[in-house]
Amino acid sequence: KPPLKTFSQDIYAIRSVNTGPRTFLSLGLLPMKDNEAVRPTNIITRPDHGIWKITNGKSMREYFQQAFPRFDFQENGLISNQEWDRFAKAEGTRFPPCQYSPGLAVWDESGRSGVALVGDSIHAFSPDIGQGVNAGLMDVVCLDRALSGLDDVESGNDNDTTANDKTKKQTTSTTLEANLQRYQKQHAPEIAALIRLARFGAPYQYKQPHRADRALRLVWTANVAMRLLLNKVTFGVIQPPCIILSQNEDLTFRQVMRRADRTTALLKTIVLAGLTLWARRRFGLALFRALP
């Protein structure tokens, strides 16, 4: 076969010939501007993958050559021996579990000084949904509005008008405690919704090969496909899956999850109604009349 050729502007996921739960690998290549630059590649595996047991460059190079036979991973090939040694000795990094801090701010008894948290200090999640930078910037925007005495932009209530400039300045200079409380009260629900999105939005995109991962990925894919289909046939009455909704810049994370939850509640109602009708036909009305 002809050699593989990639272009820097494209995203690639190159699968290995190994398919076992602890041997499958996927090379991930993210886009770059310079097509001539050295392009970094990532691998994402479970902690029990066999690759983490390899500790020397020669064995690592041979492992990758066997897994990706179309690449020139021979000695002094695409990758230097020094880089193979460095990679073999590296421990790698781990995605954090999806988590958040329920407390976003603290202040002293006087109410004149305090600490507010933004970014990774209040929410941690893997890059599955591609919202890391957006979430951090939203934290900063919401904190700025809270310190200015304004409602959170996520509440849809924007009081930032010229008539309120004087009130805004007074609030900022005299009631720091109230402003931090506003940040805590208004922004904490948004963070909770963000973490729910991170947990359920796209948790199986890395195609991990464990049997449980494969089964759950099929369930998740079926759920996404069903919601997309229902969204089309109902002309938008039923919302698309939350990972699609999250790409809408006009929606907050709370709005995304509320719409997804309404669809879930509707689907549950339809399934329950269908099971009820089937049971009534199968077992008769007497059974349901006897129930309290």
Side-chain angles (χ1 to χ4, degrees):
K1 295 182 180 180
L4 292 173
K5 184 176 181 180
T6 63
F7 298 92
S8 62
Q9 296 84 359
D10 297 328
I11 298 176
Y12 295 93
I14 304 174
R15 314 300 188 189
S16 69
V17 296
N18 302 328
T19 59
R22 293 176 178 84
T23 60
F24 172 81
L25 284 175
S26 178
L27 301 180
L29 289 81
L30 298 176
M32 295 178 61
K33 289 186 177 180
D34 187 358
N35 201 48
E36 302 300 325
V38 176
R39 191 169 188 181
T41 302
N42 65 70
I43 59 170
I44 299 173
T45 72
R46 290 290 188 183
D48 62 349
H49 195 282
I51 195 174
W52 303 114
K53 299 177 181 178
I54 303 174
T55 58
N56 66 85
K58 181 177 182 295
S59 298
M60 185 68 75
R61 178 175 56 79
E62 292 174 349
Y63 186 96
F64 270 79
Q65 185 63 77
Q66 183 276 325
F68 301 94
R70 295 182 66 188
F71 282 95
D72 180 15
F73 288 150
Q74 299 295 334
E75 188 170 2
N76 298 318
L78 285 174
I79 301 175
S80 68
N81 292 339
Q82 292 80 5
E83 179 61 18
W84 284 118
D85 287 331
R86 185 204 64 79
F87 179 71
K89 293 179 173 61
E91 296 181 358
T93 58
R94 294 174 181 264
F95 289 155
C98 296
Q99 56 189 313
Y100 68 98
S101 170
L104 310 187
V106 293
W107 49 88
D108 65 4
E109 294 181 356
S110 69
R112 293 192 295 270
S113 64
V115 175
L117 303 179
V118 297
D120 291 346
S121 61
I122 52 174
H123 46 68
F125 51 93
S126 63
D128 300 349
I129 59 175
Q131 296 291 337
V133 174
N134 292 340
L137 291 175
M138 181 60 72
D139 298 338
V140 175
V141 170
C142 294
L143 176 60
D144 176 68
R145 292 178 62 85
L147 294 177
S148 300
L150 303 175
D151 284 335
D152 196 333
V153 66
E154 298 145 359
S155 68
N157 183 14
D158 189 346
N159 295 322
D160 190 8
T161 61
T162 304
N164 288 330
D165 281 350
K166 183 177 180 181
T167 303
K168 180 177 68 173
K169 292 179 181 178
Q170 291 176 345
T171 302
T172 304
S173 60
T174 61
T175 58
L176 176 63
E177 178 181 355
N179 292 336
L180 291 178
Q181 286 178 337
R182 179 182 290 108
Y183 176 62
Q184 168 71 44
K185 179 180 179 181
Q186 295 183 344
H187 195 49
E190 184 73 0
I191 300 304
L194 165 65
I195 295 304
R196 286 191 62 215
L197 173 63
R199 286 173 177 163
F200 303 112
Y204 299 105
Q205 63 170 298
Y206 301 115
K207 201 176 181 181
Q208 296 302 326
H210 285 193
R211 292 180 179 85
D213 292 326
R214 292 176 177 177
L216 291 173
R217 186 171 66 248
L218 287 175
V219 174
W220 175 83
T221 302
N223 177 55
V224 170
M226 177 182 64
R227 291 176 185 245
L228 285 173
L229 177 61
L230 291 175
N231 176 254
K232 296 293 184 181
V233 300
T234 61
F235 300 99
V237 174
I238 294 180
Q239 296 294 310
C242 59
I243 189 60
I244 302 298
L245 288 171
S246 67
Q247 307 305 311
N248 187 339
E249 61 183 12
D250 296 325
L251 297 179
T252 67
F253 296 125
R254 271 180 284 182
Q255 291 170 331
V256 166
M257 296 313 297
R258 276 198 294 265
R259 294 189 181 194
D261 289 341
R262 285 198 293 267
T263 300
T264 300
L266 176 61
L267 294 176
K268 287 181 177 179
T269 301
I270 293 174
V271 171
L272 181 60
L275 290 175
T276 301
L277 290 175
W278 174 82
R280 292 180 66 175
R281 292 184 178 182
R282 178 67 175 80
F283 301 106
L285 294 177
L287 173 63
F288 290 86
R289 290 173 179 171
L291 294 175

